[in-house]
Amino acid sequence: MKITRTLAVAAGLAALAACNQSAEEQVADNIEANAEMTADNLEVAADATGNEVLEDNLENAADATREAGEENADATRDGADADGNSAN
């Protein structure tokens, strides 16, 4: 249920955000949303396990996934700015 709600919220936000954004900004937002959903799923799996070591590993993977998503999205935005194609 949580995953479905997260997907619905992400899709809604992406649709609203897409109204006045460059293609690069939309891609960057999608990268962040996908990373966030993946990290949320890892945290759900971490909460469901009874193994403390596995839980820690899954939570670390969730943190790394969020960080990588942010870095990739920023690189996408920076690439758009370097070309002079950024809407902002």
Side-chain angles (χ1 to χ4, degrees):
M1 185 63 135
K2 181 178 181 180
I3 294 170
T4 304
R5 184 178 337 134
T6 302
L7 289 172
V9 170
L13 289 175
L16 287 174
C19 295
N20 193 21
Q21 289 184 339
S22 69
E24 291 86 1
E25 185 65 27
Q26 289 175 15
V27 169
D29 287 349
N30 288 339
I31 290 169
E32 284 182 322
N34 287 334
E36 186 65 32
M37 284 187 288
T38 301
D40 287 347
N41 290 337
L42 288 167
E43 288 180 342
V44 167
D47 291 341
T49 186
N51 183 325
E52 195 169 320
V53 172
L54 180 58
E55 181 178 357
D56 289 343
N57 288 339
L58 288 169
E59 288 176 356
N60 289 338
D63 292 341
T65 299
R66 279 193 183 89
E67 183 67 29
E70 289 174 12
E71 289 175 4
N72 289 337
D74 288 344
T76 299
R77 288 185 185 101
D78 291 343
D81 290 342
D83 294 54
N85 293 330
S86 177
N88 296 330

